[in-house]
Amino acid sequence: GGTPFKKRSTMATMLAFSIQNPGDEGKVISLPKPQPEPNFALIKILRAGVCNTDLEILQGYMGFTGVLGHEFVGIVEELNVPQNTIDSDANSTLNVIDLYDKWLGKRVCGDINVGCGDCGVCLNEHNRDACCAKFSRNHCPNRTVLGILNRNGTMAEYITLPITNLHLVPEGMSDEVAVFCEPLAAACRIPEQGLVNYGYGADGQNLQPPDRVAVYLRPPDRVAILGDGKLGLMIAEVLGREHARRNPVASPAPILFGKHAHKLGLVEGSGVERRFVSECIDATAFNGVSKDHAGKYDVVVDATGSPAGLTISSGLCRPMGTLVLKSTCAAGKEFNAAPFVIDELRVVGSRCGPIDTALELLNLDAADVASPTPTPNQETDRNGASGPVSDEREPIQPLRVEKYITQTFPLSEAADAIRCAALKSTMKVQIICSE
């Protein structure tokens, strides 16, 4: 049995936005309140976010049934730590009292993948985590996923998650900001995977401020991000700041290509350039991309949410470059593999990222943000020419995600929240599940 160190709620049922059959619209219903399994926590959901994956699931993606949602902030209301965890293994480093002190009554966010805990992936056999960037966190073959795969999600009054999935929310961070940690973590997954090269000096090491070595054996990657939807903007916020933090010279900033001026304006101060996607499209070109942009980018991140975005993304990417796929789509489309084979593109999927890194980024204030200094540097360009380069990048601002919130709804109006989130004019919708 579990320990007595619990805050027990007398509520036997809860409200939740649930999908009864794959592709159904979903509705708010009453469900039994979940009970935490051994080594799980019961979490009272304060706020949940609505993202494009939720909208795709409502179109039948993953064949999911159950409670929708995977973005959340909540309070740990109960822990179930088996008695044998306390009584056995005198050499265990786990201090159960400290465990309760750390989590009970605290605000948390959480990793959405729940592994089985017993397979080779979860046990990190062959030490794949060391070479595959948190392989065990994302890729248990028996995993369930909050609101996506065989596990009820966060558009509810309560969820359960393993204690090991939890991350403390910093004091002083608002609930509305904390909800952004999951989509922001998905953006942080790209640097976690090491998909962007930030320049290597004569010693072969990745250059880090305050180093001012400006002659590269390998120049920094030129990066393009395609799509100014919610995820595309989060990626721009992350990669722009990562570029400013990692690049000691005035190398070209990442470029965000989008369709909407007001959305592109939201990432001002993030460290990215902002361009209209029409600038890089040429319908008369064989790959649909204008000559000024065709094959000019070492890394292209596709966050369009549309299969058609792959055509433009592959055209932007240089031969043997890296194409990062961040979109999941329910709709299918005839796929032409020829450009990927001919240009020998490296296609990499990128999914869930580090929640702790996202929370740190959300918690940075102006004094913590790394901005490029306008110092002339001697740089060798891609054609071998060298000369002084003046760094004129705009100062980097702290990340203020509140600007992305379009509207909030109570859980009882979750269906309206979903309809609002599906509008093209909407940025982010949040659902207040508990006060």
Side-chain angles (χ1 to χ4, degrees), residues 197 199-207 213 215-218:
N197 158 59
Y200 289 82
D203 61 355
Q205 298 299 311
N206 207 197
L207 296 173
V213 178
V215 178
Y216 290 123
L217 294 182
R218 176 182 174 184

Side-chain angles (χ1 to χ4, degrees), residues 250-389:
S251 59
I255 298 176
L256 172 65
F257 290 102
K259 294 181 178 180
H260 311 92
H262 70 284
K263 291 183 179 180
L264 293 173
L266 289 169
V267 293
E268 182 178 3
S270 68
V272 297
E273 292 184 31
R274 304 171 300 281
R275 308 259 184 101
F276 287 110
V277 70
S278 56
E279 180 182 323
C280 69
I281 292 177
D282 181 355
T284 65
F286 78 97
N287 60 3
V289 178
S290 68
K291 64 179 181 179
D292 290 336
H293 294 280
K296 296 297 174 65
Y297 301 93
D298 303 284
V299 178
V300 179
V301 182
D302 177 62
T304 60
S306 165
L310 277 177
T311 301
I312 300 173
S313 296
S314 63
L316 291 170
C317 198
R318 68 163 172 83
M320 300 185 74
T322 299
L323 178 56
V324 184
L325 302 184
K326 292 297 293 189
S327 301
T328 54
C329 305
K333 185 181 179 181
E334 185 177 337
F335 176 69
N336 179 15
F340 301 88
V341 176
I342 294 169
D343 286 336
E344 297 183 314
L345 299 183
R346 176 191 181 206
V347 181
V348 182
S350 182
R351 197 168 64 96
C352 302
I355 297 289
D356 51 353
T357 301
L359 286 169
E360 290 172 6
L361 183 56
L362 289 169
N363 205 37
L364 291 178
D365 59 27
D368 299 318
V369 176
S371 289
T373 55
T375 304
N377 294 279
Q378 191 77 14
E379 181 183 282
T380 300
D381 69 16
R382 294 173 183 273
N383 298 314
S386 63
V389 178

Side-chain angles (χ1 to χ4, degrees), residues 136-147:
S136 63
R137 182 191 64 209
N138 287 357
H139 295 294
C140 169
N142 309 309
R143 69 185 177 275
T144 60
V145 186
L146 271 179

Side-chain angles (χ1 to χ4, degrees), residues 168-187:
L168 290 172
V169 174
E171 291 185 13
M173 182 180 291
S174 69
D175 292 340
E176 64 181 1
V177 168
V179 175
F180 279 88
C181 73
E182 196 283 330
L184 192 65

